[in-house]
Amino acid sequence: MRACTVAEEYERFCDSPNCSGVLDGKVIRAKCPSHSSLLTKMDLMVLEGLVDNYFKCFSAVIPGFPRYSVIGDRRHGVYNLRVSNASLEDDAEYQCQVGPARMHKAIRANAKLSVISPPSSVEILDHPSNSKIEIRENEEFHLECRVRNAKPAANILWYRGNVELNIPNREDQIVDVPSSNGNPNIKRYDTHSRITLKPTAEDDYEDYTCEARHEALQSDLPMKATVQLSVFYPPGLPYIEGYTEGETIRRGQTVELICRSRGGNPPAQLIWYKNGEQIRMAYRTAGRISENVYTFTADASDNKARYKCEASNIMSKAPLKAEIDMTVLFSPAHVTISGPTEARVGDPVPLTCTTANSNPPAEIKWMVAGKQIRNATSRTVVSPEGGWITTSNITAMVEPNKRSLVVICHGLNMQLTENVVSTHTINVLYPPSQPFIHGYTEGHSIHVGSVQKMSCTSSGGNPLATLTWYKNDKKIHSTIKKSDRSVTAEITILANVTDNEARYRCEAANSATEIPLFETITMSVLFPPETVKIRKEPLEFKPNTQAVLTCDSSSSNPPAKLSWWREGIPVQGAVNTTKPGLHGGKVSSIEVRVNISEQLNGVVYTCQATNEAMQRSVHDALILQVLYKPVFDSDNEKVVTGIESEPLIVSLKADGNPQKISYTWTKDGLPIMQRDSRTGTDRIISDGPTLNITKLSRFDAGIYTCEAINSQGNSIANINITVQFPAAVIAISENVIVKPEEDATLSCTAEGNPISDDTITWSRDDIPDFNVKTSVMYDKNGTSYLRISKVAREDMGNFKCSVNNGIGRTSNKNVLLIVKHKPEMDQSPIYLKFASDAGNMGKLVCRSQASPLARYSWSRNGTPISANVTGKYYTTFKQVDQLVSESTLIITHVTSADYGNYECVARNEMGFSTSSPRLEITSAPDIPSLLSIVNVTHDSVTLSWIPGFNGGMAATYRIRYRQMQEENYKYEDVPLSNETKYTVKGLDINTGYVFSVMAMNKLGNSKYMPDIVSAKTSMFVDSVEKIIPEDLLEKQDLPKIVIVSVSIIGVTLLLVNIGLVLGCVYKKRVKGIRDQNIQNSKSATIEMYAPSSYNDTVTGETLSSVSEKSETYSNEGSNNEYVDEGRKQAASTYLMDQQDYPGPYPSCLGYEMQIQPHLTHKTHTLPHPHHHHQHTQDKNRSRDDQSLGYHGNKSLYVSAPSPAPPADGSYYNMSERYLSYPPPLDFQNPPPVPAHPHITHSGTPVTPPLPANGSLVRHQRTAVPPPDVLHNTNQNIQILQAQTLNQKREMSTFDSNYDVANDQEGHLV
């Protein structure tokens, strides 16, 4: 733009800015010229509300608008605006402003900039460009075109091929397209156009194009999208080329039939048919033309054949077809002459000539012996294969002096000028000459098995003779050799017995002979007997009878000579006889008579037949089978001795014939189970002559009868079996009760085999002068009587009756002697303190041991209590066992006045004893006592303890434990109330732990016991278990081989386990250098046992199950004073040597225990009787505790004195090594027990009656391994002070007959 100044001195534009357009992305320049010298500034503003687009044009570069720049000539007032890379954002109205200057007002001019954007794409919806659309003819469909993102909106043109379509019903639509950045002033447009078509066949292959027209597009580069229509429509009528109906072709000519069909989409499918049968489906297409070419060679079957071509596609309602009928000319393929091939001179020969089918019919011409036959007749018939068949007959005569007659037949197709010829030859017949045989001279003898050849020859004849050999009128094979004038037939014979006196005949014949000519010879063959057979009479031989043995040979030439042999020795006196046999030979026979006895059973008689001319013989043998009943061997044993629980096999020998002997074993008339019918649990079975007792029982002794039976009879043998079995105690005297200073007699009855006076012995270890004080008597019934003179209280207890007869183990049984004595009160803590709340019912129990049983009375403060009278007090009586009873005082509605001490008096005829139980209000429980270790494995420790006073209600217990090197405790609650045994699981391997226990009830807790009980988990996991139960081993129920095998397997597994453990220990030690607190090796389960001092003896069950560790608690709330005190008081640690441990436990176990030597009250436990230890002090100590462990091959042990057995005999041991006090007894038929014996009886209390068999049944107890490690724990001082030495003796787990000398060997106190 340029501004001009005129005379009027005002400013104006020389060239006004005009509106212009620019293509998106191109450069535009807007002119703004001015010639005013008054121009001081020029501003350019973009209108249409774009106030931000205001800028001054005094410099070429416009800040903030990098694409805008001002170009021109400032001197001439030319300021043009240049916009680079124009976009739709630049589409706006621009204004050129000239500011006021020199009293001239401002001028301005507007210019509109239109940015043109070509379309981005053109597409036919739902159809990719250049795709093909398949549609049926006359089916309506739609095409929609869309041109996108144009400014201004584009126009759409439709083309069919190259011709623009003018469709009046097309639908067009323009759609605004908003800017992607949300600018409302920037717009583009989409144009839609939709047309509707109904295509026909002419639209097939036509292109339909949608073209976008826009001012931004170049005319030579239009934007368009094209699709092609594929219109389905039916094909055109097919037509056939290559043959015109009525045209004639020859057989063998190649014919090519072409079927075509034009049009159709898809192209037509063309199929050829011949006489209605499909012959070709392959066709080809080119564009919309289909073609099926069928090429073949014409033959007779094509004559009058109808060829049809069918065309169809998916649009065809029915196939379109074209047909032709074909005509084929062909001559006969062959002619055939039928009639005789042989004839004699002068014979008429009928002949027939037949042609194959021909079109037109063929003519037949005959030639006989070179001469044409002119009067031959012929006839023609229609062939089912097409054409005609011609037949002609003639008769020819055979002339003499000719060997053959040749006949020729011609078949001619006159139209095709083709001739087919067939020739037939008739031979003239003459008879042959007489045959003759050569190669064998009749009357000559040959040996059987030799080879003989014979030939037969005949000369002359036409044709040459046919030679045939016969043997006894049976045709045989021969080899034929021919020459011009003769023929020879040769046979080869391998002579056999059938050839002797056989007639061989050779016959010569041909067509000229009515009866064959022949020659015959007779053959002679020498042959030995093939078989010899022995006959016997009678068929069964029995002792004391005579048998006739006859030997017959088969036919032989010359006759065979027979002889008898017995066990290889010739039998003299037998005479041969002969008679005619087969094949012209002779049959020979010989006979011998034999007197039968048992000794001849199995003797062999042999018959020999010999052909002396051939020096060949055959044999047959007969083994004499003499039938007799079984006979037992005289060497069989009559008496057999066996040992109980061991196997016994008795075998007898019996002989008989037949040897199939069945055996039946019986005892006392009862049959014994046979092997094949046993059930698997039978102990005694029979297997033929063998009696098998897998495990002898004493009741198996007696006479066993074996009966052997066969078909000839039976025999019987008796065997006396005696069974030796270990002696055992079967009866003892029961309830022997005497007064002091009286004599007592105990009895013990034994059973066994053998048994003698010294089989039964008596013993008791705690009576020094036992032999002086006692005497023994023995009777013949196996009963031993022990007499004790002037018994004393100390004599009460068990006397051991031992029985041993040298077989098996010693059988022991304790016989109880009861000495009458006054009551002895049980002063245990549970019988000294009781509790009950006010208003509730209180119970106080008083227990004593006495003989006879005690009577009880209750008093308080010296005043007797009248029970069962006022309703305030009730008493009950209970007999615990033969010596122990208890009385219960029941106080109803307890008040504060009922609390305090009570007196219980137990009386019998020997005296009385008192106890002072106390009734208190319910409270927290007392601290438990005697915490001990029961069992230790690699990850668990089993504890047991004696409960203190429970405070009058059910109490539970909590275990506290920690590792010896740690300060923090872990706690586990015993789940069941009043449970006094618990296993702490989830412990670390080979780690020492300290344990304590406390009691709890609803009212509070007791204090923890001091930390003086410790144990160390083992470092091995015991993977070897007992495979065979101990009871089976003791009773020898298993064979020794089984025991040895299982033992070897167990030792092998143990050695493998030890190797693995040693490897783990090595790794553990190496890792321990890095981290002493990490212990991750696995180990074997080791069981360790220690008996309780008060409760039942602990059994040896293995606790090997692994459980999760208990929750770890802090030390808050624990009795820390016990921890410190326990550590200070722990003065020594003891190691238990386990080298004599009889169980499957390694001898390298480390076991740790702490005792507190400062307390004077201890409970004594008897030692293992077979341990002998030495002890030293362990110098290695952890804090104030002394750890246990093995040092080299030495073991550490501290012995301690044990108290002598109590003099009052307050305990006894019935059978087991360990027995709790009091020993539990169960009556097999328990009698009713009254509340108190004095209620129904006066005087001495009556002992309940015994069972009918006079024996008591004790609780079954499992075998307990000896406790190699015994733990002693401190008791509550207050409780210990209330116990006397006599009370401690009552709680001992060992009987009074335990050896005092052994008590000093290893018992801990």
Side-chain angles (χ1 to χ4, degrees):
M1 295 179 186
R2 187 176 59 180
C4 296
T5 305
V6 295
E8 289 82 5
E9 296 295 328
Y10 68 92
E11 218 169 27
R12 65 177 179 85
F13 287 102
C14 297
D15 296 324
S16 298
N18 56 355
C19 296
S20 61
V22 64
L23 186 61
D24 188 9
K26 301 299 181 177
V27 178
I28 183 67
R29 183 176 63 181
K31 297 180 178 180
C32 184
S34 175
H35 289 294
S36 173
S37 60
L38 302 177
L39 182 63
T40 58
K41 67 175 180 177
M42 178 177 286
D43 296 336
L44 182 64
M45 178 180 293
V46 181
L47 302 181
E48 299 183 1
L50 302 179
V51 295
D52 292 335
N53 291 356
Y54 174 79
F55 45 85
K56 295 185 177 181
C57 303
F58 294 114
S59 62
V61 179
I62 303 174
F65 298 90
R67 293 185 295 108
Y68 292 4
S69 60
V70 177
I71 59 177
D73 188 351
R74 185 181 186 122
R75 293 175 299 172
H76 297 87
V78 177
Y79 296 90
N80 296 331
L81 176 63
R82 184 177 186 272
V83 179
S84 301
N85 194 17
S87 65
L88 293 180
E89 296 179 355
D90 302 322
D91 190 314
E93 186 173 358
Y94 293 79
Q95 187 179 79
C96 178
Q97 299 178 355
V98 178
R102 297 181 182 178
M103 303 302 294
H104 295 285
K105 65 177 181 180
I107 61 174
R108 67 189 63 186
N110 296 336
K112 176 67 176 178
L113 177 61
S114 295
V115 179
I116 301 172
S117 176
S120 61
S121 65
V122 57
E123 60 182 343
I124 297 177
L125 298 183
D126 301 327
H127 301 288
S129 183
N130 298 320
S131 63
K132 182 180 291 187
I133 302 175
E134 294 182 344
I135 188 169
R136 291 178 177 269
E137 186 179 25
N138 297 321
E139 183 176 286
E140 185 177 282
F141 82 105
H142 306 282
L143 290 178
E144 183 174 354
C145 178
R146 178 174 62 185
V147 180
R148 305 189 61 183
N149 299 323
K151 182 177 181 296
N155 295 324
I156 294 178
L157 298 180
W158 286 96
Y159 291 87
R160 179 179 183 271
N162 295 323
V163 179
E164 182 179 353
L165 292 178
N166 186 12
I167 302 175
N169 58 348
R170 61 179 279 182
E171 302 174 7
D172 294 341
Q173 182 183 6
I174 298 176
V175 180
D176 292 346
V177 179
S179 173
S180 59
N181 59 9
N183 189 346
N185 295 321
I186 301 176
K187 290 184 180 181
R188 288 189 176 140
Y189 304 93
D190 288 353
T191 303
H192 292 254
S193 179
R194 187 170 185 265
I195 63 175
T196 301
L197 300 176
K198 196 171 185 180
T200 62
E202 289 73 13
D203 291 318
D204 189 30
Y205 277 115
E206 285 293 340
D207 292 337
Y208 278 78
T209 303
C210 168
E211 182 178 327
R213 292 293 180 89
H214 194 272
E215 56 185 302
L217 296 176
Q218 299 180 20
S219 60
D220 56 341
L221 296 175
M223 290 184 67
K224 58 183 178 180
T226 302
V227 295
Q228 186 182 71
L229 296 189
S230 177
V231 181
F232 293 154
Y233 62 96
L237 189 68
Y239 56 95
I240 298 175
E241 296 178 352
Y243 178 80
T244 303
E245 192 164 342
E247 180 184 353
T248 300
I249 60 176
R250 293 172 176 267
R251 179 173 60 184
Q253 180 179 340
T254 300
V255 181
E256 183 178 80
L257 298 180
I258 303 173
C259 178
R260 290 191 178 94
S261 175
R262 297 181 181 276
N265 185 21
Q269 179 186 30
L270 301 180
I271 303 176
W272 275 106
Y273 294 86
K274 177 182 178 181
N275 295 329
E277 293 185 3
Q278 180 177 302
I279 57 175
R280 179 175 172 82
M281 286 187 63
Y283 65 96
R284 59 193 176 189
T285 62
R288 289 292 185 257
I289 299 177
S290 297
E291 182 180 80
N292 188 340
V293 179
Y294 179 49
T295 303
F296 62 97
T297 301
D299 58 17
S301 64
D302 295 319
N303 185 43
K304 297 184 180 180
R306 175 164 291 181
Y307 285 85
K308 178 177 64 175
C309 176
E310 288 187 353
S312 64
N313 68 2
I314 60 175
M315 299 298 293
S316 301
K317 297 180 179 180
L320 304 176
K321 60 185 178 179
E323 297 177 346
I324 59 171
D325 292 332
M326 186 170 290
T327 301
V328 179
L329 299 181
F330 53 92
S331 60
H334 57 83
V335 294
T336 303
I337 300 175
S338 60
T341 59
E342 294 177 343
R344 296 183 181 90
V345 175
D347 290 345
V349 180
L351 299 172
T352 301
C353 180
T354 304
T355 67
N357 54 335
S358 174
N359 184 29
E363 294 182 5
I364 294 178
K365 301 294 183 179
W366 285 96
M367 296 290 289
V368 177
K371 298 179 181 181
Q372 183 176 356
I373 305 299
R374 298 188 180 277
N375 58 351
T377 61
S378 62
R379 60 188 180 90
T380 302
V381 296
V382 177
S383 173
E385 298 177 357
W388 289 264
I389 297 175
T390 303
T391 303
S392 177
N393 298 320
I394 66 170
T395 300
M397 297 299 293
V398 179
E399 297 178 358
N401 301 321
K402 292 185 178 180
R403 295 186 63 87
S404 62
L405 180 64
V406 179
V407 178
I408 300 174
C409 177
H410 295 267
L412 294 89
N413 188 314
M414 302 303 291
Q415 185 171 349
L416 297 177
T417 65
E418 293 182 5
N419 183 22
V420 181
V421 179
S422 176
T423 301
H424 182 73
T425 301
I426 302 171
N427 293 321
V428 181
L429 304 177
Y430 299 94
S433 64
Q434 179 74 24
F436 65 94
I437 298 174
H438 52 93
Y440 173 77
T441 303
E442 191 169 3
H444 174 71
S445 296
I446 63 174
H447 284 199
V448 67
S450 62
V451 178
Q452 180 66 47
K453 292 185 178 183
M454 292 187 296
S455 300
C456 176
T457 302
S458 176
S459 302
N462 184 32
L464 290 175
T466 299
L467 300 180
T468 306
W469 277 96
Y470 292 89
K471 176 184 177 182
N472 296 331
D473 299 329
K474 184 178 180 181
K475 184 178 179 180
I476 59 177
H477 175 72
S478 61
T479 302
I480 305 298
K481 298 180 181 179
K482 292 183 179 181
S483 64
D484 293 340
R485 299 296 297 171
S486 66
V487 61
T488 301
E490 183 183 71
I491 60 174
T492 301
I493 301 170
L494 178 63
N496 57 36
V497 294
T498 63
D499 294 321
N500 185 46
E501 298 184 355
R503 292 176 60 85
Y504 282 86
R505 184 175 79 252
C506 177
E507 291 185 354
N510 65 6
S511 303
T513 58
E514 296 181 358
I515 299 175
L517 304 175
F518 64 90
E519 178 71 17
T520 302
I521 64 170
T522 301
M523 186 174 289
S524 176
V525 177
L526 301 180
F527 58 90
E530 293 183 357
T531 60
V532 62
K533 184 177 181 182
I534 297 176
R535 293 181 287 113
K536 61 181 181 179
E537 186 180 353
L539 296 179
E540 293 184 349
F541 298 156
K542 296 185 179 180
N544 304 320
T545 62
Q546 189 180 62
V548 178
L549 305 181
T550 303
C551 179
D552 300 322
S553 73
S554 61
S555 182
S556 174
N557 184 28
K561 182 179 179 180
L562 302 181
S563 61
W564 279 105
W565 302 71
R566 173 180 171 179
E567 297 290 338
I569 300 175
V571 177
Q572 304 298 330
V575 180
N576 279 272
T577 60
T578 61
K579 60 182 179 181
L582 298 175
H583 314 300
K586 298 291 184 179
V587 175
S588 302
S589 298
I590 191 171
E591 183 180 280
V592 67
R593 296 182 180 272
V594 181
N595 294 322
I596 302 301
S597 65
E598 290 89 343
Q599 289 74 21
L600 291 180
N601 184 50
V603 173
V604 179
Y605 274 80
T606 303
C607 176
Q608 175 177 295
T610 306
N611 186 315
E612 295 180 343
M614 301 182 65
Q615 294 297 310
R616 293 172 63 179
S617 60
V618 292
H619 304 79
D620 188 19
L622 173 67
I623 301 176
L624 299 186
Q625 295 291 335
V626 181
L627 303 179
Y628 60 95
K629 69 177 182 179
V631 178
F632 282 98
D633 194 338
S634 59
D635 295 335
N636 291 336
E637 292 181 319
K638 305 299 181 182
V639 179
V640 178
T641 301
I643 299 177
E644 187 178 36
S645 298
E646 291 187 359
L648 178 66
I649 298 177
V650 178
S651 296
L652 301 180
K653 295 181 181 179
D655 185 24
N657 193 23
Q659 294 183 354
K660 185 177 181 181
I661 303 174
S662 61
Y663 297 86
T664 303
W665 286 84
T666 59
K667 180 188 179 187
D668 301 331
L670 299 177
I672 294 176
M673 184 69 65
Q674 295 185 2
R675 178 181 179 182
D676 54 358
S677 59
R678 63 177 179 173
T679 61
T681 59
D682 302 301
R683 189 172 51 84
I684 304 177
I685 58 175
S686 63
D687 185 8
T690 301
L691 177 67
N692 186 1
I693 305 177
T694 58
K695 185 178 179 182
L696 265 178
S697 170
R698 64 195 65 181
F699 305 106
D700 298 333
I703 303 297
Y704 289 79
T705 300
C706 179
E707 181 181 10
I709 305 172
N710 66 5
S711 60
Q712 303 302 308
N714 68 307
S715 298
I716 294 176
N718 293 324
I719 302 296
N720 184 10
I721 296 179
T722 61
V723 180
Q724 295 182 351
F725 56 90
V729 179
I730 60 174
I732 60 173
S733 56
E734 299 286 347
N735 297 333
V736 178
I737 303 176
V738 296
K739 292 182 180 180
E741 299 299 322
E742 290 182 351
D743 293 345
T745 301
L746 308 181
S747 65
C748 179
T749 302
E751 179 185 36
N753 184 26
I755 194 166
S756 60
D757 294 350
D758 57 353
T759 300
I760 305 176
T761 59
W762 294 86
S763 63
R764 181 164 169 177
D765 297 337
D766 58 349
I767 300 180
D769 53 350
F770 180 80
N771 295 329
V772 177
K773 195 172 183 178
T774 61
S775 61
V776 179
M777 295 180 295
Y778 182 80
D779 63 10
K780 297 181 179 180
N781 296 327
T783 302
S784 177
Y785 298 93
L786 176 68
R787 184 177 180 84
I788 304 103
S789 302
K790 295 183 180 180
V791 299
R793 170 67 177 83
E794 292 77 10
D795 298 330
M796 186 175 71
N798 287 322
F799 288 80
K800 182 166 67 175
C801 173
S802 301
V803 178
N804 192 330
N805 61 351
I807 300 174
R809 299 183 180 182
T810 302
S811 175
N812 300 316
K813 203 162 188 180
N814 292 327
V815 184
L816 178 62
L817 172 63
I818 299 176
V819 180
K820 292 185 178 181
H821 61 281
K822 71 175 184 178
E824 299 172 354
M825 286 297 197
D826 190 340
Q827 300 293 341
S828 301
I830 60 175
Y831 296 110
L832 294 178
K833 188 185 294 185
F834 304 89
S836 177
D837 291 332
N840 295 336
M841 180 177 65
K843 289 184 180 181
L844 291 86
V845 181
C846 180
R847 174 178 286 196
S848 69
Q849 173 185 295
S851 178
L853 291 177
R855 296 166 297 171
Y856 295 91
S857 61
W858 289 86
S859 63
R860 186 180 185 191
N861 298 328
T863 303
I865 296 176
S866 298
N868 306 323
V869 177
T870 61
K872 178 66 175 176
Y873 300 101
Y874 296 91
T875 59
T876 61
F877 175 81
K878 178 182 178 182
Q879 180 177 345
V880 179
D881 57 27
Q882 293 177 338
L883 297 175
V884 178
S885 62
E886 66 182 24
S887 175
T888 302
L889 175 64
I890 300 174
I891 306 173
T892 61
H893 302 292
V894 173
T895 63
S896 59
D898 295 325
Y899 296 116
N901 292 329
Y902 289 79
E903 293 79 32
C904 174
V905 180
R907 301 175 182 273
N908 66 3
E909 61 187 52
M910 305 303 295
F912 70 92
S913 181
T914 62
S915 176
S916 299
R918 180 177 178 82
L919 179 64
E920 298 180 354
I921 193 170
T922 56
S923 62
D926 290 348
I927 187 172
S929 60
L930 296 180
L931 176 65
S932 60
I933 305 297
V934 175
N935 185 38
V936 176
T937 68
H938 67 287
D939 64 348
S940 66
V941 173
T942 302
L943 307 170
S944 69
W945 59 89
I946 295 178
F949 172 55
N950 61 6
M953 57 185 62
T956 57
Y957 300 91
R958 175 173 294 169
I959 307 297
R960 183 182 71 181
Y961 64 97
R962 62 173 171 82
Q963 293 186 10
M964 291 183 178
Q965 294 81 7
E966 295 183 358
E967 300 293 336
N968 296 330
Y969 286 95
K970 295 182 179 180
Y971 301 83
E972 290 193 18
D973 291 338
V974 181
L976 301 177
S977 61
N978 297 324
E979 180 72 26
T980 60
K981 182 179 178 182
Y982 184 73
T983 299
V984 180
K985 301 179 181 179
L987 303 179
D988 293 339
I989 189 172
N990 194 27
T991 304
Y993 287 88
V994 178
F995 298 90
S996 180
V997 65
M998 62 167 284
M1000 304 178 294
N1001 64 12
K1002 294 181 179 180
L1003 298 180
N1005 306 336
S1006 71
K1007 293 182 178 181
Y1008 280 99
M1009 293 184 63
D1011 288 346
I1012 58 175
V1013 177
S1014 64
K1016 187 176 183 179
T1017 55
S1018 60
M1019 62 184 299
F1020 298 107
V1021 178
D1022 185 12
S1023 60
V1024 181
E1025 299 180 357
K1026 292 183 179 180
I1027 302 177
I1028 306 177
E1030 292 184 0
D1031 55 350
L1032 295 180
L1033 292 175
E1034 292 178 0
K1035 298 180 181 179
Q1036 300 180 355
D1037 286 346
L1038 293 177
K1040 293 182 179 179
I1041 185 62
V1042 176
I1043 298 175
V1044 173
S1045 301
V1046 172
S1047 301
I1048 293 174
I1049 294 173
V1051 171
T1052 302
L1053 294 176
L1054 181 59
L1055 293 176
V1056 173
N1057 186 60
I1058 291 176
L1060 295 175
V1061 170
L1062 291 176
C1064 294
V1065 171
Y1066 176 77
K1067 286 185 177 182
K1068 176 173 178 290
R1069 289 179 178 177
V1070 173
K1071 187 167 181 65
I1073 298 176
R1074 297 191 302 266
D1075 188 359
Q1076 293 293 335
N1077 295 327
I1078 299 177
Q1079 302 179 11
N1080 54 3
S1081 60
K1082 299 202 172 181
S1083 55
T1085 303
I1086 310 298
E1087 297 177 332
M1088 310 188 71
Y1089 303 88
S1092 171
S1093 300
Y1094 186 77
N1095 293 336
D1096 284 351
T1097 304
V1098 177
T1099 61
E1101 62 177 336
T1102 303
L1103 303 174
S1104 60
S1105 59
V1106 180
S1107 62
E1108 296 293 334
K1109 293 186 178 181
S1110 61
E1111 182 180 359
T1112 302
Y1113 299 91
S1114 65
N1115 285 335
E1116 295 180 2
S1118 61
N1119 298 314
N1120 296 326
E1121 64 274 12
Y1122 284 110
V1123 177
D1124 298 336
E1125 182 180 346
R1127 294 177 183 173
K1128 294 177 181 179
Q1129 292 176 350
S1132 62
T1133 303
Y1134 301 91
L1135 172 66
M1136 302 294 100
D1137 186 10
Q1138 303 179 21
Q1139 60 185 358
D1140 295 333
Y1141 199 93
Y1145 310 104
S1147 61
C1148 59
L1149 295 175
Y1151 196 83
E1152 215 171 80
M1153 190 189 78
Q1154 298 175 349
I1155 66 170
Q1156 186 175 356
H1158 304 292
L1159 299 180
T1160 59
H1161 300 282
K1162 301 176 178 60
T1163 299
H1164 303 284
T1165 305
L1166 295 180
H1168 193 293
H1170 305 295
H1171 282 190
H1172 304 277
H1173 305 294
Q1174 296 178 355
H1175 62 278
T1176 59
Q1177 288 290 337
D1178 191 352
K1179 298 179 181 180
N1180 298 324
R1181 304 175 62 87
S1182 173
R1183 297 195 306 268
D1184 293 331
D1185 300 336
Q1186 183 145 340
S1187 302
L1188 295 180
Y1190 281 95
H1191 304 276
N1193 296 323
K1194 297 181 180 180
S1195 60
L1196 300 179
Y1197 178 77
V1198 178
S1199 63
S1202 298
D1208 56 0
S1210 59
Y1211 61 92
Y1212 47 86
N1213 192 334
M1214 299 302 294
S1215 62
E1216 290 87 7
R1217 176 176 169 191
Y1218 305 115
L1219 185 67
S1220 61
Y1221 178 83
L1225 298 176
D1226 288 339
F1227 290 100
Q1228 293 180 351
N1229 299 301
V1233 180
H1236 195 283
H1238 306 292
I1239 298 178
T1240 56
H1241 302 277
S1242 59
T1244 303
V1246 178
T1247 302
L1250 294 174
N1253 58 6
S1255 63
L1256 290 173
V1257 179
R1258 299 188 180 275
H1259 291 301
Q1260 182 66 30
R1261 306 178 61 85
T1262 58
V1264 181
D1268 286 357
V1269 181
L1270 306 179
H1271 290 260
N1272 192 357
T1273 58
N1274 292 293
Q1275 302 182 23
N1276 184 281
I1277 298 178
Q1278 183 178 0
I1279 298 177
L1280 293 175
Q1281 290 176 351
Q1283 296 178 340
T1284 64
L1285 179 61
N1286 186 44
Q1287 294 165 355
K1288 297 176 190 174
R1289 291 173 180 173
E1290 290 176 355
M1291 291 189 289
S1292 173
T1293 60
F1294 294 86
D1295 59 356
S1296 59
N1297 59 12
Y1298 202 92
D1299 190 2
V1300 178
N1302 291 336
D1303 192 66
Q1304 303 296 325
E1305 294 178 359
H1307 182 60
L1308 298 181
V1309 287

